[in-house]
Amino acid sequence: MEYQALYRKYRPQRFGEVVGQDHVTHTLAREVIEGKIAHAYLFAGPRGTGKTTSARLLAKALNCENLGPEGEPDDTCSSCVGIREGTSLDVIELDAASHNKVEDIREIRINVGTVAAAAGARRVYILDEAHMLSRAAGNALLKTLEEPPEHVVFVLATTEPYKLLDTIRSRAQRFDFHPVGSEQLIAHLADIAGRESIDADQAALAMVAGHAGGSVRDAMSLLEQVAALGAGTVRSEVVTRALGLAD
């Protein structure tokens, strides 16, 4: 079986698995249950805190065939599996860094008018690094953001929301993702280490969490790097070596 990086292998598949962003996931789940879905969302926050993951989870919840009573997608129906594996036609992920021209936005505006692949499904457009949109492209997106078809939801994810046009920010429901606290991050790393049979002590995990600066993805990547250097053992001296730090 092909090896998967830890941050990909343990990417949350339910709202309850997202680390340190309960204020976001609980609200999104409640909106799904009550059917009070905004036409556009803005997910803002540092890298590696779960913005794109939460956007995918929102798409899963909106299209899940067996949605749980707490708004959790079941992760087993055909829609959830398609979104998890990246084969769903109703979740379109675009990187604004490479789709930042007016022509790209015009193409999106044409496509939003098409019906969803499954009857009654929501089509979710996830625009990553949305602050990279040019001013002209941002202006071209405004009308679509304001009045998209009923079956379409936009999620704009960005690490620099202040670079977005004010008119775009005002049209989206904003959620701010925060750096994950050290205690939560250490507990999460300890759980992952246990599942992967990595021998790690608390002091070393604390160093990894501290260096990650609240980013779950960075912390997991660093844990993987240190475990490789230490041949499956994560100790403070191995973390120091891996990071090139002075003792």
Side-chain angles (χ1 to χ4, degrees):
M1 190 172 176
E2 186 182 349
Y3 178 76
Q4 267 192 319
L6 291 183
Y7 77 86
R8 291 184 60 202
K9 184 175 180 180
Y10 292 101
R11 185 188 292 275
Q13 300 301 330
R14 291 183 173 86
F15 285 128
E17 296 174 3
V18 179
V19 180
Q21 309 298 340
D22 291 350
H23 63 292
V24 174
T25 54
H26 288 174
T27 307
L28 291 176
R30 179 55 52 188
E31 288 188 355
V32 171
I33 292 170
E34 296 179 357
K36 296 178 178 178
I37 302 301
H39 55 266
Y41 291 88
L42 174 59
F43 290 174
R47 71 182 189 278
T49 50
K51 298 184 298 298
T52 306
T53 292
S54 295
R56 291 175 185 165
L57 292 178
L58 176 61
K60 285 174 75 172
L62 288 174
N63 292 314
C64 182
E65 298 162 16
N66 305 299
L67 190 68
E70 297 301 316
E72 287 282 16
D74 69 347
D75 198 39
T76 58
C77 68
S78 58
S79 174
C80 285
V81 171
I83 293 172
R84 185 180 71 230
E85 295 181 351
T87 58
S88 172
L89 298 176
D90 289 325
V91 178
I92 298 94
E93 289 192 43
L94 299 169
D95 177 18
S98 54
H99 293 81
N100 59 0
K101 298 182 179 65
V102 174
E103 293 75 18
D104 299 316
I105 301 303
R106 282 205 192 106
E107 189 175 335
I108 292 175
R109 290 175 63 180
I110 293 169
N111 290 338
V112 294
T114 60
V115 297
R122 297 289 189 108
R123 174 162 287 177
V124 180
Y125 284 84
I126 301 172
L127 196 59
D128 211 2
E129 300 300 330
H131 62 275
M132 298 291 286
L133 285 174
S134 66
R135 188 175 187 83
N139 282 319
L141 184 62
L142 284 177
K143 191 63 177 176
T144 308
L145 274 184
E146 191 170 36
E147 297 176 2
E150 286 188 9
H151 68 281
V152 171
V153 175
F154 280 93
V155 182
L156 311 181
T158 177
T159 54
E160 301 178 71
Y162 56 88
K163 288 187 177 180
L164 283 167
L165 295 175
D166 291 342
T167 43
I168 287 181
R169 292 204 300 267
S170 67
R171 283 166 169 78
Q173 190 177 115
R174 176 168 170 168
F175 288 88
D176 286 294
F177 288 69
H178 305 309
V180 179
S182 292
E183 287 186 11
Q184 278 184 302
L185 204 45
I186 291 167
H188 184 61
L189 291 174
D191 178 51
I192 299 300
R195 294 195 211 180
E196 292 292 313
S197 300
I198 296 171
D199 180 15
D201 64 25
Q202 283 291 105
L205 293 180
M207 290 180 69
V208 170
H211 190 75
S215 168
V216 178
R217 183 172 63 235
D218 287 2
M220 294 177 74
S221 295
L222 183 55
L223 175 66
E224 196 168 25
Q225 179 183 341
V226 174
L229 182 62
T233 301
V234 176
R235 296 288 182 268
S236 298
E237 58 272 16
V238 185
V239 178
T240 301
R241 257 198 304 154
L243 297 177
L245 303 175
D247 58 25

